[in-house]
Amino acid sequence: MMSKVSRRVGVIGLGMASAPHAQSLIDLAGRVEVAGCFSPSAERRAAFAARHSLPVVDRLEALLEDPALSAVLLLTPPDTHAELVARCAAAGKHVLLEKPLDATPEGARAVVSAMEAAGLTLGVMLQHRFRASVERLAGLMRHGALGRPLTAAVSVRWWRDAAYYAQPGRGKRARDGGGVLLTQAIHTLDAFVSLLGLPDRVAGFAATSVLRKSDMDTEDVVAMALRYGNGMLATVNATTAVYPGYPERIEIAGSDGSAVLAGDRLEVQLVNGERITAGADGATLGGGADPMAFSHQHHRAVLSDFLDALDEGRRPRVDGREALKVHRLIEAMLEASGSGGSVEVGTS
């Protein structure tokens, strides 16, 4: 077995999303040396250092110009990603990027292209693929346990309160690039795509509910229909307007049985009478008013896989090309809502 390499890494962005990353770095202290954590805000740097006992730096260049630093965890708002990834690529740094790839479709593609052109590794924090329940279902489907997929449904019925959207830029297209699809449901949609692939066409509606008309200019309620090339039909229902928030669900029905993922709990019932369960009992947190009320274990798994990929010279399980798949699905759904017709899901 290849020995693990201790890598010097930096963190850029110390906002709300930084907490599970910081704890993951602390857990993996034997594999990583944190050179420094940067935010342009002195207040955020001080608060972060007090919470996590990790070193901070007051200049971005202190990280990008460090020749011993091999990778950056980039946790800044979506509208900054394309520019900052380009700077990391120019500095020769691998990147583990907090979702989404960028706030715009053009920026998302630029992020992937910049890292590929530089010959560097890009990992993306889409951690739901690393849930035990999703991994178990993926294995069952690879072996055809459900038979031929016939129909499926994705349901993300979460809650975000007024305080959440009162934060500057939150829910605004200019900073976040999108609403419930790109900011919240992207994790569940990515897991769904990893299980069933991309549909050929989508149709449906996305809107801003009356709760949020004054708070955001992106969608917080979505109802979509998906059609696959093999004839399978699926639906997507996503919102942040359901109080108090419920576990996200993926349901897949096949010719030989059905599967339900509810939060991190999998239940499979096969036609032959066999029943399979996996994952944690109880509701998955993070779907209610506190978006960070969840364990960091899956963030740690993504980080560990990213480090393994660097050691082994392979692609991370969720690299830029994999992340572009769910971006294409979201782009098609928003386009369909705007056009009022069905839209083909792009392949590039």
Side-chain angles (χ1 to χ4, degrees):
M1 180 181 293
M2 179 181 295
S3 61
K4 305 297 185 182
V5 177
S6 179
R7 293 187 178 272
R8 187 170 169 85
V9 304
V11 178
I12 301 174
L14 305 180
M16 180 177 66
S18 66
H21 293 270
Q23 189 58 55
S24 299
L25 288 167
I26 292 168
D27 287 356
L28 296 173
R31 297 198 61 189
V32 290
E33 173 197 357
V34 180
C37 305
F38 171 76
S39 167
S41 165
E43 182 180 358
R44 280 194 173 180
R45 292 196 301 270
F48 178 88
R51 284 195 308 270
H52 302 294
S53 300
L54 291 173
V56 297
V57 295
D58 59 6
R59 294 172 57 252
L60 176 61
E61 292 75 16
L63 300 177
L64 298 185
E65 295 174 2
D66 181 348
L69 189 143
S70 62
V72 166
L73 279 64
L74 183 55
L75 318 178
T76 56
D79 64 329
T80 67
H81 287 181
E83 177 188 355
L84 288 173
V85 167
R87 292 186 66 180
C88 290
K93 311 304 182 189
H94 305 291
V95 174
L96 178 58
L97 180 65
E98 181 59 60
K99 63 78 186 169
L101 288 167
D102 189 71
T104 69
E106 299 78 17
R109 287 160 178 76
V111 162
V112 177
S113 296
M115 294 296 287
E116 289 181 346
L120 295 165
T121 298
L122 173 64
V124 185
M125 187 55 70
L126 288 166
Q127 68 270 17
H128 283 202
R129 293 196 193 196
F130 289 75
R131 289 177 167 179
S133 55
V134 175
E135 291 180 326
R136 182 66 188 281
L137 180 54
L140 291 170
M141 295 190 67
R142 279 195 302 270
H143 291 93
L146 298 185
R148 178 181 175 179
L150 305 173
T151 183
V154 176
S155 177
V156 182
R157 299 181 66 76
W158 283 4
W159 170 251
R160 292 293 185 263
D161 61 15
Y164 176 86
Y165 289 111
Q167 296 299 312
R170 188 74 56 71
K172 299 296 194 296
R173 193 170 305 281
R175 192 197 78 160
D176 288 347
V180 62
L181 290 176
L182 195 63
T183 305
Q184 286 90 22
I186 186 171
H187 289 292
T188 307
L189 290 170
D190 176 69
F192 178 75
V193 168
S194 75
L195 293 166
L196 288 169
L198 287 171
D200 287 354
R201 300 192 72 84
V202 301
F205 304 97
T208 308
S209 73
V210 294
L211 288 178
R212 310 273 165 67
K213 287 289 188 183
S214 62
D215 298 325
M216 58 192 296
D217 61 1
T218 56
E219 81 290 345
D220 69 340
V221 286
V222 175
M224 289 283 159
L226 287 57
R227 187 182 74 191
Y228 283 75
N230 62 3
M232 188 185 79
L233 300 178
T235 61
V236 172
N237 182 292
T239 180
T240 55
V242 175
Y243 179 83
Y246 296 93
E248 64 277 11
R249 293 172 67 91
I250 296 175
E251 302 179 28
I252 302 171
S255 57
D256 294 336
S258 62
V260 176
L261 281 164
D264 194 20
R265 178 68 174 174
L266 170 66
E267 294 190 7
V268 175
Q269 183 67 60
L270 301 181
V271 173
N272 65 11
E274 183 180 1
R275 186 171 180 269
I276 302 167
T277 60
D281 290 319
T284 294
L285 301 178
D290 182 0
M292 303 309 294
F294 56 81
S295 166
H296 69 284
Q297 63 175 316
H298 301 114
H299 282 69
R300 184 179 61 222
V302 175
L303 175 58
S304 182
D305 174 71
F306 177 72
L307 296 171
D308 287 345
L310 296 181
D311 290 352
E312 298 164 13
R314 61 167 174 84
R315 295 164 52 180
R317 283 176 53 185
V318 188
D319 66 356
R321 290 288 160 185
E322 276 297 300
L324 277 175
K325 294 178 181 178
V326 71
H327 275 258
R328 289 199 293 269
L329 176 59
I330 291 170
E331 291 161 24
M333 289 194 287
L334 292 174
E335 183 182 347
S337 175
S339 68
S342 69
V343 169
E344 183 176 356
V345 179
T347 58
S348 64

